[in-house]
């Protein structure tokens, strides 16, 4: 597990059946200058729905439709805020225990707790997950199939044994993550459907830093993030001399991604055989951009048509701003890499706080 100091926000939304997700991320830190002791972030389908920190002691909605949830549930924000305050005390206790176990007396340290669930809106299948991280590494994970905690580190064995011996707590976890959490997730999807299930196509540009640099096919402004972008030659997808970038969030909730093509061994006459293809899940027609020197934007001169070719700095700067803001607001958001075969879990959720009363039920670390 790696701590990412930015939020790589997410999606799974289209008219077709999708797996929706809900996740809560809690981060407790020590000796991090000008940073709250606790930061909590809630996500639905990898879209941030709330933010809370121990400095403001306020639960702030991040989506307009979350206000409608509060309107229909008058005690929603008050109850939720109280629970988050309870988690602040609970996780602080866990944090101190772990620092002692690792024989740490000072310095910057980070404790992370993630809880969430997934729901397939076609099959009705649900899955829950709960993980604990410490200083950027996995500390404990909960196995939904065996209903037990798993310890990847020797220092976590004591906690694992203690928590696995608490059968009532394990039963509570299973009930919350397989029933209560999915119920809340369905409510959020209902209220946020028009936003979460929307489809937005991107603008696609060809970019090049220098005449000898790879040509980057850059797509920005698309939603959801279930998208693919690739280069192909003579209609066949290329796997060599290409480098695919990550999907990143824009400041307006949309996404961007790019794929680079190294043309160092390609003669100019063959450029016309290459094209960039962008595919958005749920959309029938792909966006195809032919490799053409005349349309390449650069930061070293003019495009082939004589216009001022420059990178779309607005989108790039927007991402930088988003990432910086998320450093401040979501420093504890951690992501386990997605692997084929669904190894590990993908980030997403409502929260251990929506209906999870474990703030008063969690065993000691």
């Amino acid at each position: 597990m790696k701590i990412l100091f930015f939020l790589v926000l997410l999606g799974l939304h289209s008219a077709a059946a999708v797996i929706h997700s809900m996740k809560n991320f809690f981060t407790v830190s020590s000796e991090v200058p000008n940073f709250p002791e606790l930061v909590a972030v809630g996500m639905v389908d990898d879209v941030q729905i709330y933010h809370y920190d121990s400095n403001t002691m306020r639960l702030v909605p991040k989506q307009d439709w979350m206000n409608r949830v509060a309107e229909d549930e008058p005690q929603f924000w008050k109850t939720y805020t109280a629970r988050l305050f309870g988690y602040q005390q609970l996780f602080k206790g866990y944090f101190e225990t772990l620092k002692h176990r690792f024989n740490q007396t000072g310095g910057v340290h980070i404790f992370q707790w993630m809880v969430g669930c997934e729901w397939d809106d076609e099959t009705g299948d649900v899955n829950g997950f709960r993980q604990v991280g410490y200083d950027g590494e996995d500390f404990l994970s909960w196995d939904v199939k065996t209903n037990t905690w798993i310890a990847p580190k020797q220092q976590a064995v004591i906690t694992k044994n203690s928590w696995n011996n608490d059968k009532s707590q394990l039963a509570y976890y299973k009930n919350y993550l397989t029933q209560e959490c999915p119920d809340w997730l369905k409510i959020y999807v209902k209220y946020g459907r028009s936003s979460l299930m929307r489809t937005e196509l991107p603008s696609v540009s060809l970019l090049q830093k220098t005449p000898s640099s790879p040509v980057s096919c850059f797509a920005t402004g698309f939603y959801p993030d279930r998208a693919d972008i690739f280069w192909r030659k003579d209609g066949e997808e290329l796997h060599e001399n290409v480098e695919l970038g990550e999907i990143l969030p824009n400041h307006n909730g949309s996404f961007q991604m790019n794929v680079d093509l190294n043309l160092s061994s390609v003669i100019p006459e063959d450029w016309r055989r290459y094209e960039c293809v962008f595919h958005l899940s749920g959309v029938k027609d792909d966006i195809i951009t032919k490799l053409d020197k005349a349309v390449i934007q650069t930061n070293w001169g003019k495009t082939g048509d004589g216009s001022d070719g420059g990178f779309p700095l607005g989108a790039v700067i927007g991402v930088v701003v988003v990432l910086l803001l998320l450093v401040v607001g979501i420093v504890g958001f951690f992501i386990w890499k997605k692997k084929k075969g669904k190894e590990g879990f993908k980030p997403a959720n409502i929260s251990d706080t929506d209906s999870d009363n474990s703030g008063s039920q969690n065993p000691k670390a």
Side-chain angles (χ1 to χ4, degrees):
M1 181 196 79
K2 295 182 179 179
I3 297 177
L4 301 183
F5 285 79
F6 56 86
L7 186 60
V8 183
L9 299 174
L10 25 103
L12 291 181
H13 336 279
S14 74
V18 298
I19 297 178
H20 297 282
S21 62
M22 182 171 73
K23 299 189 182 96
N24 282 327
F25 298 87
F26 303 90
T27 300
V28 182
S29 60
S30 65
E31 298 189 29
V32 178
N34 304 315
F35 195 78
E37 184 178 56
L38 170 72
V39 173
V41 174
M43 311 286 294
V44 170
D45 286 355
D46 295 328
V47 173
Q48 186 181 0
I49 63 171
Y50 79 81
H51 173 271
Y52 171 92
D53 67 65
S54 54
N55 287 352
T56 64
M57 304 288 288
R58 291 179 60 244
L59 183 65
V60 180
K62 291 298 183 179
Q63 302 296 323
D64 291 340
W65 52 266
M66 282 294 290
N67 293 319
R68 298 203 305 274
V69 177
E71 290 173 2
D72 292 346
E73 300 287 343
Q75 298 300 312
F76 178 82
W77 292 120
K78 181 178 180 180
T79 301
Y80 213 87
T81 301
R83 286 177 175 171
L84 287 170
F85 179 77
Y87 284 123
Q88 180 178 339
Q89 310 309 313
L90 176 70
F91 294 145
K92 184 178 179 180
Y94 286 173
F95 193 23
E96 293 303 319
T97 298
L98 292 185
K99 286 196 292 185
H100 176 74
R101 190 163 297 165
F102 282 89
N103 195 29
Q104 297 166 336
T105 57
V108 174
H109 299 288
I110 295 178
F111 169 87
Q112 298 166 300
W113 181 283
M114 189 279 284
V115 60
C117 58
E118 294 177 333
W119 163 58
D120 188 317
D121 68 1
E122 184 177 64
T123 66
D125 292 341
V126 298
N127 182 43
F129 36 79
R130 189 184 291 256
Q131 292 192 270
V132 180
Y134 186 68
D135 280 353
E137 296 183 352
D138 288 327
F139 186 75
L140 284 170
S141 62
W142 185 76
D143 188 334
V144 66
K145 294 181 179 179
T146 62
N147 196 29
T148 57
W149 287 97
I150 299 172
K153 298 181 70 68
Q154 183 62 37
Q155 292 91 335
V157 172
I158 297 176
T159 300
K160 179 200 74 170
N161 292 337
S162 174
W163 289 6
N164 283 341
N165 287 331
D166 192 333
K167 302 305 179 183
S168 62
Q169 184 68 27
L170 291 175
Y172 169 77
Y173 282 159
K174 185 172 183 178
N175 178 73
Y176 172 73
L177 293 177
T178 59
Q179 295 186 43
E180 292 184 45
C181 180
D183 286 345
W184 274 102
L185 174 55
K186 293 173 185 178
I187 291 174
Y188 287 146
V189 171
K190 174 184 176 182
Y191 279 91
R193 181 172 296 276
S194 62
S195 174
L196 297 172
M197 306 291 280
R198 75 187 190 276
T199 298
E200 295 180 1
L201 294 175
S203 62
V204 179
S205 306
L206 298 182
L207 313 176
Q208 191 175 32
K209 293 181 180 178
T210 70
S212 60
S213 298
V215 174
S216 179
C217 184
F218 177 71
T220 184
F222 62 88
Y223 188 92
D225 71 343
R226 291 190 304 153
D228 191 17
I229 189 170
F230 56 91
W231 284 98
R232 66 187 183 192
K233 176 184 178 183
D234 296 333
E236 296 292 330
E237 181 176 352
L238 294 173
H239 299 287
E240 295 183 358
N241 297 320
V242 295
E243 182 176 353
L244 180 64
E246 291 186 279
I247 296 179
L248 298 174
N250 289 322
H251 68 283
N252 60 0
S254 66
F255 297 91
Q256 67 166 262
M257 66 187 306
N258 71 283
V259 60
D260 294 347
L261 172 64
N262 188 333
L263 293 168
S264 59
S265 60
V266 178
I267 61 176
E269 290 77 10
D270 284 345
W271 277 37
R272 58 184 177 80
R273 301 169 62 186
Y274 294 82
E275 58 189 11
C276 173
V277 181
F278 175 86
H279 174 75
L280 186 63
S281 179
V283 177
K284 181 180 179 181
D285 296 326
D286 295 335
I287 298 177
I288 299 176
T289 306
K290 295 286 186 179
L291 179 58
D292 185 348
K293 287 185 178 181
V295 300
I296 294 177
Q297 300 180 55
T298 75
N299 62 355
W300 50 271
K302 304 283 186 178
T303 58
D305 60 1
S307 61
D308 186 12
F311 285 94
L313 294 179
V316 176
I317 293 173
V319 172
V320 173
V321 172
V322 170
L323 299 185
L324 289 176
L325 289 174
L326 291 172
V327 165
V328 176
I330 315 168
V331 77
F333 180 68
F334 51 88
I335 295 177
W336 283 259
K337 288 286 187 181
K338 298 179 182 178
K339 295 182 180 179
K340 291 184 178 180
K342 201 174 181 179
E343 297 173 10
F345 69 85
K346 303 174 305 180
N349 159 151
I350 171 171
S351 102
D352 204 345
T353 61
D354 273 353
S355 52
D356 186 350
N357 298 314
S358 62
S360 60
Q361 299 180 30
N362 279 308
K364 293 181 179 180

